[in-house]
Amino acid sequence: MNRIAQLTFIAALSFSSQQAFALSVSEIAQKISTKQSEYDNYNSDLDAQIALANNLEKDLAELRQNVTLADADRQSALIEMNMQYEKVIDDPELDITPARSAYAKAVRTHKAIKDAITDKYNEWQTKLQDVEQMQVSKHSLLNTIEGLKEQYNSARVDRLYKEFNRKESVVVSHKITCDKDETLSKCTVRGKALAKQKASKRFLDSVFDGLSEAVEAEKRRQTSDASVQVLRSEVADSNFSGQGNYNVKMNLELQGNLKRTVGCELLGLDRRYCINFKGQEVTQVAAIAPTLVTDESVMYELTVRSNVFDDEVFINGVSYGSTKLQVMLPSGEHDIEVVKRGFDSSRQTISLTEPKTIKVDLNRAQYTFSKGERIQDILAGDIPGPDLVVVPAGSFRMGDITGLGLENERPVKTKEFKQSFGISETEISVQAFETFVNATSYVTDAEKEKGCAFYEDGKAVWQDDRNWRSPGFVQTDQSPVVCVSLNDAQAYVDWISKASSQAYKLPSESRWEYAARAGKETDYWWGEGVNTDNANCGWCGSQWSNVSTAPVGSFERNDFGLFDTVGNVWEWTTSEQNVNSAVVRGGAWNFAPRLARASTRMELDSTFRSNYIGFRVVREQ
C-alpha cells in the first residue's frame, strides 16, 4: 500500500447513526485521542508534501530556463558546424571533428534537459495529486474526529441516564414530635411523609455523588428537574413515645427520575444529544380574504394575461396565482395588480359587468440596492435568475473569534465592505442549475470523467455514475445542486453574468463569512450552540441529518435574510489567502456541527466534487 493510501485509511470510520455496538465514554475518548494524534501527524505530513510539490515546481522552472540556454547552445553549435562544413569545400583536409563533437554534445545536453523536464513535470503532477488526495483525506479525518465527539457526548448522556436512573432499596428511620393540636393519625401521616422525603433526599445526594461526572452535574443541579421516584414503601416499625414523639422505620424502593433532556442540561450539552428526532411535514393553509363585490349573485369570468411568465396576480389584495389566469368573479369593481420581481408592477381598477380579458405589459425595473432588499434579475429569454438579498456595507471580525476553531481560521482579522452587495438567499438549486445546463449544453467535470465523490467509512470515495443529476440520494428541484466542482460553479457564474448583463461571481471567503455571520460573533448566527433542528448537518437533529441534503430554505433565515449558511452543503468560495486554492465554507449534511461554524474553512482542489458540496452566488452593485 502506498504512502497516500495509508494516510487515507487512517480516516476509515463509519458514521452510520446505527452502530453495531455501543462504546463506552472512556473507549470513545481513547479513540478521539488516537485520531487527534493521527490528525496532528497528518497535518505535518501534508505540509511536507506541499513543500515537496513547491520544490518540484521550482526545479521544473529552473529546468525550463536551462533548456532555453541549452537550445541556444545547440543552435550556436549547429551554426559553427555548418560553417566548418562550408570551409571543408575549400579545404578538404580541414578537421571538423571538434565542431561535430561540440554539436553532438549540445544535442545530447538539450535532449537530456528536455527528458528531465518531462520526468520532473510528471513527478510534480503526481505530487499535486498526492496533495489533493491528502487534503480531502485530512478533512475526512477531521470529520471522523468530530463524529467521535458527537458519539462521545451521546455516550456521556447515556452513561448519566443509566447512572442516575438506578434503583435502590433504602431503609430509613425518622422521629418527629407531634403537635399538641395534631391528631395521632395526622402525625403518623406526616411522619411517614417526612421519612420518605428524608430517604429521597439522601438517595438523590448519593446519586449525584456517584455520577461519573458529579462535579459537572452538581454545577447545574439547582436549576435542573432531576428527581427521585418512590416505587414502593412500607412501614417496618413505628411507635409513639410518652413525650408525644412518633418514631417510624420504613423500607423503600427508590429510583432516580431523570429525563434525557435534563441530562443534557446537567452536562451543559446541546439538547440535540437528548432528543429523538422525527421529521414532521407541516402544511400551512392560506386564508383567503373575502372578495369585495357589489352583487354576489352575478358571476363573470375574468381573464388576465401579461407579457411575462411566473408573475403573480392579486385581485382585491388576494393572490390568485400567475397568468394566464381565468377566474369567476362577482359583478362590480375589482382591484387588479400584477407583480413580478425585476419588473415594475401594474395596478388598475376594473368594473366587471360582463366576461372580460385584460392584457398587462410589465416593464423591467431598474434596481438600486438598499439594505435588506430582495431582488431578482431577469435573464435572457425571460428566465428568472436566483433570488438575491442585499447585504449592507459594513465591517466585521473574520475568523476564530470564539477560540474554538482550527488553526487555519486564525488569526482573526477585521474586514470592511464599503459597498453593499447581493447574494443568493439560498444555495443554487438543482432546478436553477438545470436551467443553465439546458441553455448552454454544459457538461460538468463529474460527467466528463471519474464521477463524483461521496463520504463513506470516513473518507471520500469516487463513483463514476454519480453526478449532479444522481448524487446518491433522492433530490427535488429545490434541493441544492451538488457534485459540482469550482470550475462548474464558475461556468454557471459566467453564464448568468452574460444572461443578466450584471456582474455575478462566486463569493470570496470574507464576503461569505460576513453574510453568514449577519452581524453576530458567535459560532452560529443564532448563538453559540448548534441546538436542535436549526440546520441540516451531521447530528444536528433534522430529518435530513446524515441522510441527504434538505430542500433549500427548509430552516430559518439569518438576520441578513440568507438560508442555509449553516450546513446542508459546503459552498465554494474563492480564497483570499492563496489565489491557487479554493475553499469551501459552511459545513454539510454529513459533517459534524463543529465543522459548520461561521469561520470553518476547508481547502480543496478546484476540480474536486462531491455530493456534499454546492455553491451560491454574489452580484455586484
Side-chain angles (χ1 to χ4, degrees), residues 2-13:
N2 63 33
R3 173 63 173 163
I4 302 304
Q6 290 174 336
L7 291 170
T8 299
F9 272 99
I10 67 175
L13 178 72

Side-chain angles (χ1 to χ4, degrees), residues 189 315 368 413 503:
V189 171
I315 301 176
T368 55
K413 297 180 180 179

Side-chain angles (χ1 to χ4, degrees), residues 361-613:
D361 289 324
L362 298 183
N363 299 316
R364 290 184 182 273
Q366 297 298 318
Y367 275 108
T368 55
F369 282 6
S370 59
K371 179 182 178 180
E373 181 184 3
R374 296 180 64 194
I375 61 176
Q376 182 183 49
D377 289 320
I378 305 303
L379 313 180
D382 203 28
I383 298 172
D387 289 311
L388 308 171
V389 293
V390 175
V391 173
S395 62
F396 81 114
R397 290 201 299 159
M398 178 179 178
D400 181 23
I401 299 173
T402 64
L404 300 175
L406 306 172
E407 185 63 33
N408 66 356
E409 302 168 32
R410 307 182 188 109
V412 176
K413 297 180 180 179
T414 298
K415 298 284 186 177
E416 182 178 6
F417 299 99
K418 296 183 178 179
Q419 284 190 322
S420 59
F421 57 90
I423 185 169
S424 54
E425 63 180 4
T426 69
E427 296 140 342
I428 297 301
S429 68
V430 170
Q431 184 179 52
F433 195 78
E434 185 174 24
T435 299
F436 152 63
V437 170
N438 291 341
T440 61
S441 299
Y442 182 79
V443 179
T444 62
D445 285 344
E447 294 169 292
K448 292 175 183 176
E449 60 176 355
K450 197 177 180 180
C452 169
F454 63 98
Y455 197 53
E456 184 178 72
D457 294 335
K459 59 182 181 294
V461 179
W462 292 86
Q463 188 161 318
D464 291 345
D465 61 353
R466 293 200 177 186
N467 53 60
W468 70 275
R469 300 179 191 271
S470 178
F473 46 76
V474 176
Q475 296 186 119
T476 69
D477 285 347
Q478 293 309 306
S479 298
V481 67
V482 292
C483 287
V484 288
S485 66
L486 180 71
N487 303 328
D488 298 329
Q490 186 60 53
Y492 176 89
V493 166
D494 294 342
W495 168 74
I496 199 172
S497 296
K498 184 177 180 180
S500 66
S501 300
Q502 301 292 344
Y504 280 83
K505 58 177 61 176
L506 292 172
S508 64
E509 279 200 81
S510 58
R511 272 184 168 177
W512 187 94
E513 187 171 327
Y514 177 59
R517 286 190 177 278
K520 303 295 179 60
E521 292 198 342
T522 50
D523 279 334
Y524 310 96
W525 63 261
W526 57 79
E528 291 296 353
V530 73
N531 214 311
T532 58
D533 212 22
N534 282 325
N536 181 24
C537 51
W539 307 276
C540 283
S542 80
Q543 60 181 298
W544 301 281
S545 292
N546 287 320
V547 176
S548 70
T549 60
V552 296
S554 294
F555 301 89
E556 293 293 323
R557 299 174 183 269
N558 72 7
D559 290 350
F560 279 168
L562 276 68
F563 292 106
D564 301 319
T565 55
V566 178
N568 217 18
V569 293
W570 290 98
E571 299 174 19
W572 285 113
T573 68
T574 54
S575 173
E576 296 165 329
Q577 300 180 16
N578 183 353
V579 295
N580 296 319
S581 177
V583 179
V584 291
R585 305 294 298 265
W589 58 271
N590 55 347
F591 276 69
R594 184 168 178 256
L595 301 182
R597 295 172 299 102
S599 57
T600 305
R601 52 193 307 273
M602 188 163 75
E603 298 177 13
L604 293 172
D605 187 271
S606 61
T607 61
F608 184 73
R609 58 270 184 188
S610 72
N611 65 359
Y612 48 82
I613 298 179

Side-chain angles (χ1 to χ4, degrees), residues 51-91:
L52 286 175
N54 291 337
N55 289 336
L56 289 171
E57 187 176 14
K58 291 178 181 178
D59 293 344
L60 182 61
E62 184 176 345
L63 284 172
R64 284 170 172 164
Q65 289 181 343
N66 291 342
V67 81
T68 301
L69 297 174
D71 187 57
D73 290 343
R74 183 178 63 84
Q75 293 292 339
S76 177
L78 178 62
I79 293 172
E80 176 63 27
M81 185 177 68
N82 288 336
M83 291 176 60
Q84 293 298 319
Y85 270 115
E86 290 178 0
K87 292 179 180 179
V88 167
I89 296 174
D90 296 328
D91 184 4

Side-chain angles (χ1 to χ4, degrees), residues 164-172 195-204 206-207 228-233 251-257:
F164 199 100
N165 291 335
R166 63 182 175 85
K167 295 179 182 179
E168 185 174 314
S169 295
V170 176
V171 178
V172 63
K196 290 179 183 178
Q197 292 177 17
K198 179 179 180 180
S200 298
K201 177 65 169 63
R202 287 179 177 175
F203 178 68
L204 187 61
S206 70
V207 168
V228 173
Q229 183 179 4
V230 179
L231 301 178
R232 182 182 58 83
S233 66
N251 297 325
L252 302 101
E253 186 175 7
L254 305 177
Q255 181 175 12
N257 185 27

